[in-house]
Amino acid sequence: DEEPASPPAESKKAPPIPPKNTSVAGDEVIRVSVKKLDQLLNAVGELVVNQTMLTGHRIADTTNPAHAISVISYMQKIVNDVQEQTMSLRMLGIKPLFQKMQRAVRDAAQSLGKDIVFLTEGEHVEIDKTLLEKMTDPLTHLVRNVVDHGIESADNRTKNGKPVQAQVKLLAEQREDRILITIQDDGKGLDPVKIREKAEQKGLISASADLSVSEIQGLIFRPGFSTKEQVSEISGRGVGLDVVQRAVDDLKGHIDVESTVGQGTQFRISLPLSLSIISGMVGGIDSKHYII
């Protein structure tokens, strides 16, 4: 007699591997280098040793306050190191953001029929994860605006003695506790006369307003301001640079613009290095303490 055939074995599928930098069970994950974790563990180890020394002083009720003060001073240094290293765990390289801006410039240039070379500098700079995420859309809007408004057509560049291929440059650098992001172009620049005329037409300023050239150029960040006469895929849809201004303000930063007619424009965005920790100064009035 033939034995009955055994049922086919059930195929076992391995659980899916979650992609990098995505949400797992509702929690966000972030890639951290082993070097940073080792530095943090070493600092915590020193903190534990220092705490043990302080406990020894308390138990022995030492009569040598100088040594106790030295231990406390060293602990303050370690705590500062732990604070900085913990903040660094949230820092990500700005290179992926630069790559997105490169695609945005390329797509906008192709849509408008412009020849543009995109240059970057400072890709090694690290920025807080929150800042990186919240600046992606505003920065994309800004670079598309640069390509559309700032860069002239090939015919106009030739007439003005410029090379047909325009240049847009994106730079990032860290200065103390700030991140500076700069966008430069060699386009037509901001014409203060035209900007003022548009601002007066839209009722943003009065005809008698006494404004400097810098203040007039800053009007491009006002809600409702636009010099675009026709709607296109890039601009003219009622969404101006005020969205960039609001995003930078929300991140406790500021944006400046410098421009020379016929030579180009430079946008400079300054952002805090991290939104996680804000420095404060402790003061007191009578018996109450305040942090400024």
Side-chain angles (χ1 to χ4, degrees), residues 18-172:
K20 299 174 183 177
N21 294 340
T22 57
S23 177
V24 178
D27 294 331
E28 292 186 1
V29 298
I30 186 173
R31 296 183 64 184
V32 178
S33 69
V34 176
K35 181 180 178 181
K36 286 184 177 181
L37 290 178
D38 288 342
Q39 290 174 343
L40 182 59
L41 288 174
N42 290 337
V44 172
E46 290 189 47
L47 194 61
V48 172
V49 172
N50 210 270
Q51 175 65 36
T52 304
M53 294 172 65
L54 276 179
T55 303
H57 279 287
R58 180 178 60 82
I59 294 174
D61 193 17
T62 179
T63 58
N64 184 6
H67 187 255
I69 292 174
S70 175
V71 173
I72 294 174
S73 176
Y74 185 60
M75 175 172 281
Q76 184 177 5
K77 176 184 179 299
I78 299 175
V79 170
N80 290 337
D81 289 343
V82 170
Q83 181 184 31
E84 292 179 2
Q85 291 167 12
T86 303
M87 289 172 58
S88 73
L89 298 181
R90 293 180 52 86
M91 305 296 281
L92 298 174
I94 204 170
K95 185 175 181 179
L97 179 61
F98 277 21
Q99 292 173 336
K100 290 180 180 179
M101 298 307 105
Q102 186 172 23
R103 289 193 292 270
V105 170
R106 180 193 62 206
D107 294 344
Q110 290 178 350
S111 175
L112 298 169
K114 295 180 179 180
D115 186 4
I116 299 176
V117 58
F118 183 69
L119 306 175
T120 59
E121 186 177 316
E123 294 183 347
H124 63 283
V125 172
E126 291 187 334
I127 188 171
D128 187 279
K129 178 177 182 291
T130 302
L131 293 172
L132 192 67
E133 293 173 348
K134 292 188 176 181
M135 276 304 300
T136 299
D137 290 342
L139 202 58
T140 301
H141 185 72
L142 183 57
V143 297
R144 286 162 64 93
N145 190 279
V146 167
V147 173
D148 188 17
H149 290 270
I151 304 301
E152 318 94 315
S153 65
D155 292 340
N156 288 335
R157 290 183 66 86
T158 302
K159 290 177 182 178
N160 295 327
K162 291 183 176 182
V164 173
Q165 187 178 60
Q167 184 180 105
V168 176
K169 189 173 184 179
L170 181 60
L171 307 91

Side-chain angles (χ1 to χ4, degrees), residues 177-223:
D177 61 343
R178 309 289 295 184
I179 293 290
L180 296 182
I181 300 176
T182 305
I183 302 175
Q184 299 175 347
D185 68 71
D186 63 347
K188 60 185 177 183
L190 299 175
D191 187 345
V193 175
K194 183 180 294 186
I195 292 174
R196 180 167 188 129
E197 289 177 354
K198 282 290 181 180
E200 291 178 2
Q201 290 175 10
K202 294 180 178 294
L204 300 177
I205 60 172
S206 64
S208 59
D210 184 15
L211 301 176
S212 66
V213 173
S214 177
E215 290 173 331
I216 292 174
Q217 291 175 343
L219 293 174
I220 63 175
F221 296 109
R222 292 280 191 92

Side-chain angles (χ1 to χ4, degrees), residues 211-280:
L211 301 176
S212 66
V213 173
S214 177
E215 290 173 331
I216 292 174
Q217 291 175 343
L219 293 174
I220 63 175
F221 296 109
R222 292 280 191 92
F225 182 87
S226 176
T227 58
K228 197 72 174 179
E229 301 293 345
Q230 296 180 343
V231 176
S232 68
E233 294 182 1
I234 306 299
S235 62
R237 296 164 295 171
V239 181
L241 292 182
D242 58 299
V243 298
V244 180
Q245 180 75 68
R246 287 199 303 270
V248 173
D249 289 343
D250 290 344
L251 295 174
K252 312 302 180 186
H254 61 268
I255 180 170
D256 299 317
V257 57
E258 295 180 6
S259 183
T260 302
V261 177
Q263 297 183 20
T265 305
Q266 175 177 275
F267 294 94
R268 186 184 296 108
I269 301 172
S270 175
L271 298 169
L273 189 61
S274 174
L275 298 177
S276 303
I277 296 177
I278 300 175
S279 299

